[in-house]
Amino acid sequence: MVIVMGREATQDDVDSIVSVVQAAGVEAFVSRGVQRTIVGLVGDVTQLDATGLRGMQGVRDVMRVSTPYKLVSRENHPDRSVVRVGGVPIGPDTVTLIAGPCAVETPEQTLDAARMAQEAGATLLRGGAYKPRTSPYAFQGLGEAGLRILADVRAETGLPIVTEVVDAHDVDLVASYADMLQVGTRNAQNFALLQAVGAAGKPVMLKRGMNATIEEWLMAAEYIAQRGNLDIVLCERGIRTFETATRNTLDVSAVPTAQRLSHLPVIIDPSHSGGRRDLVLPLTRAAIAVGADGVIIDVHPQPELALCDGPQALVREDLGALAQVLRDLPPLLGKTAASAVSV
Ligand code: PEP
Ligand code: MN
């Protein structure tokens, strides 16, 4: 059982709940988030009166949930959620395009990529300042200097920023610049990082671990939610299979499956899944057709010079076709391109 406290709940309200729960012989774990406090109950909860708890001061919701992920489950939250990033919606009524360079390299490259993203209809800018690279010799990102470039480009273009954080110690710094924190596939089960982003007070995009089941992915999201942050967007970015013709295998069935199991929005990354420029548009069409709530796509003004993932970045010539896909396909699914929704 999980008790979600309202934003207005006081420490006394939380203490009263804990005493009632403990009196029934059940353990209470209190997670204080920036936005909400959550009390998780462990033990035999059959003696607890959920209606009575619901009536206590400061309580917003009491959930009895059978799944191992409780807060992100759709079981007690039948409506699908909308997560807003700097005012931009990601959710069931829209298809949101997040685009930008894989990595922030220079101010000019980042601004050029942001303009390309806008030309394609993006309403959010992606770009990594901290890069989780497989090789320790590969470009690791510009760090805080990269975050400053992103902030300048946001000021110039008005695009809110989605950027990755790879280490729990950097969460506060990255959150002070970012509009949305990204947790990448290599950190998808870094539980200390998940807890830290859960406490940072910013929306989070959680990529699926490349070897994670959908249940493991949702439990990773639960780590974030448990810290009081329910502004989570799930991102399917391809999983490891025996196939070597593509960088990863895009699991399109993960989208409707995760949407059935969880109320969180689900988006697709066609760039990191296919790993090849020529696959990005077909996979974007597949993403929209399967009901994804958005796509996150790499674009680069000069991919041949890119310090990271050049072969999968869309170039200027691709932008018209991407814009057209984003304009034409969402209405067939009863959705609107987020760029057409006023924020
Ligand atoms: C990225 O989006 O820059 C990235 C590193 O993606 P992933 O974690 O999916 O590999
Ligand atoms: Mn990349």
Side-chain angles (χ1 to χ4, degrees), residues 102 126 128 131-132 164 182-186 205 207-208 210 237 247 269 272 296 298 309:
C102 174
R126 64 149 291 146
K131 296 304 301 175
E164 182 161 355
Q182 174 175 335
V183 175
T185 193
R186 292 162 188 79
M205 181 180 69
K207 294 238 181 153
R208 177 179 179 184
M210 63 180 91
R237 48 78 68 205
R247 186 174 179 184
D269 181 337
H272 287 83
I296 176 164
D298 288 6
D309 288 349

Side-chain angles (χ1 to χ4, degrees), residues 113-226:
R115 299 263 190 238
M116 290 171 66
Q118 271 181 320
E119 193 181 324
T123 45
L124 295 170
L125 173 66
R126 64 149 291 146
Y130 293 84
K131 296 304 301 175
R133 302 306 296 278
T134 303
S135 164
Y137 301 110
F139 175 60
Q140 304 286 312
L142 297 179
E144 188 172 2
L147 297 174
R148 281 197 292 268
I149 292 173
L150 284 169
D152 289 346
V153 172
R154 171 177 53 200
E156 184 78 22
T157 61
L159 291 173
I161 302 163
V162 181
T163 194
E164 182 161 355
V165 55
V166 298
D167 187 318
H169 297 108
D170 296 329
V171 167
D172 288 342
L173 175 71
V174 179
S176 71
Y177 289 91
D179 297 286
M180 176 178 235
L181 297 169
Q182 174 175 335
V183 175
T185 193
R186 292 162 188 79
N187 270 310
Q189 285 186 309
N190 178 339
F191 301 119
L193 178 63
L194 295 171
Q195 289 173 328
V197 297
K202 289 281 166 82
V204 178
M205 181 180 69
L206 174 64
K207 294 238 181 153
R208 177 179 179 184
M210 63 180 91
N211 58 359
T213 63
I214 292 172
E215 183 172 85
E216 287 166 340
W217 187 20
L218 296 177
M219 286 200 272
E222 188 77 12
Y223 269 92
I224 300 170
Q226 211 222 358

Side-chain angles (χ1 to χ4, degrees), residues 254-306:
V255 173
T257 306
Q259 288 172 340
R260 174 170 53 77
L261 296 172
S262 169
H263 58 87
L264 300 177
V266 185
I267 67 170
I268 274 185
D269 181 337
S271 307
H272 287 83
S273 38
R276 289 170 30 173
R277 182 170 308 126
D278 63 317
L279 288 176
V280 173
L281 277 174
L283 296 184
T284 300
R285 290 190 205 103
I288 299 172
V290 82
D293 303 310
V295 282
I296 176 164
I297 292 180
D298 288 6
V299 297
H300 198 290
Q302 288 174 291
E304 62 288 358
L305 301 179

